[in-house]
Amino acid sequence: MPLDLAPVPEELRGLRIAVLVSGGIAAYKIVDLASALTQAGCEVRVAMTPSATRFVGPPSFQGVTGNPVLTGLWPVDGSPEPHVALGDWAQLIVVAPATANVIGRIATGRSDDIVTAIVLAARCPVVVAPAMNDAMWSKRAVQENVEALRDRGVSIVEPESGHLASGHVGAGRLAAASQLLKAMVEAVQSRYDLAGRRVVVTAGGTREPIDPVRFISNYSSGKMGFALAAAAADRGAHVTLVTTASHPAHRGVDVHPVETAQEMLDALGEQLKGADVLVMAAAVGDFRPARTATKKIRREETPRFTLELEPIPDILASIRSDKELAGVFRVGFAAEDSELDAKAVEKMKRKGLHAIVANDISRRDIGFGSDDNAGVMLFADGSRHELEKMTKREMADRILDLVLPKLSGEKGAES
Ligand code: CTP
């Protein structure tokens, strides 16, 4: 049966796609799909259930993708957990053909073969294309499993009606490749809504040296900034994280470690060129030592010690006055212990921000070091959005949800 392989849509080009094949006759069609995706510039990795390998040999997939094919859960190529590695790696997963058996096992959270284990370890959108006999497809058990997958956000590409391998005519034939590609694009677009955007995030408390072993800083853990960077990267943005804090970096985030406010400002000057959004989650100090001792200050040499401090320039204010960076949508943070709204609005105006996220540091259950946060997001256009208590990662996504409609259509700069 010839495949109607329409050109691979632009939206899929360059993506890391895991193609998971289960044991149906339509498995042979997926060789063409894997080949077309690879030729369109996608990086394609294939995993097959043991019964899929009885329909199509792994070397066919290896040949068209140029990558080894996973057929079992046991380590290959030194990767201790191939299913986790592939689940982490993939930006899109396609299960095609998906048999009634594999759908049932995905629906019940099984992970006893490489295909179901990868789906369970996935962090990206999953598209499932069922293919089976019409009687099997029509059974309530199968339909309920399909419904369960839909409820959990899996995209289902309905099978077509037509001549089936069993000789029957009915619904159950693997959807046409054009339908599969369409579902893949939709899955990508809904998840990667920041694709093509450049997002710069700052994180952590700045550190101002007193001498080579001591510094002035604050309690900021950097968790909110790291959560924002991770969320933006997961949504397809090109993300730069300028940070004083060091946590494990999220896949795809470009990390620029800095220490002082001046280093942060210098790094931002470079990184913000052509950026769409700056989210200034760092807790930048207000004062720094007027002088930094070049040698460790010793107790016996300085029984009394007075530290003279000078103000640190406002980073957001300098960015505002840089004409080259005028197109960047600027979001600030404000940690306040009272009159949240009033102080945040004043800060937003003073720093020329497009938006500000204010959180209440008098609350002990949120903020510094905590995994949760809560507050309010205010925009220069007067809109106000309550951010009820949630994890910092959830708040990061909420902030991005609110910023996204404010960005201009043109990627690479905002007006
Ligand atoms: N900020 C900045 N440069 C500074 C200090 C703060 O860019 N030198 C940024 C922070 O990253 C944050 C926002 O300004 O996004 C608000 O920070 P905050 O410390 O609350 O503001 P301050 O101007 O320091 O005001 P105050 O200390 O009076 O509350």
Side-chain angles (χ1 to χ4, degrees), residues 366-380:
I366 55 166
F368 289 135
S370 159
D371 288 330
D372 293 328
N373 208 350
V376 59
M377 186 163 188
L378 305 156
F379 283 82

Side-chain angles (χ1 to χ4, degrees), residues 280 282 284-286 312-316 332-336 347 350-351:
M280 195 74 190
V284 183
D286 292 325
I312 292 177
D314 193 306
I315 295 181
L316 282 170
F333 267 72
E336 306 293 348
K347 239 171 228 180
R350 174 157 49 90
K351 292 172 187 260

Side-chain angles (χ1 to χ4, degrees), residues 5-18 33-44 89 91-92 94 180-182 184-189 192 195-196 236 411:
L5 257 180
V8 171
E10 197 59 44
E11 293 85 341
L12 299 178
R13 296 183 183 218
L15 287 184
R16 300 185 299 270
I17 303 179
L33 179 71
S35 168
L37 290 171
T38 307
Q39 286 175 50
C42 303
E43 202 183 329
V44 180
W89 170 88
Q91 292 172 295
L92 178 66
V94 187
L180 244 153
L181 291 168
K182 188 163 159 262
M184 288 163 71
V185 169
E186 283 167 6
V188 163
Q189 281 177 333
Y192 301 114
K411 292 174 183 172

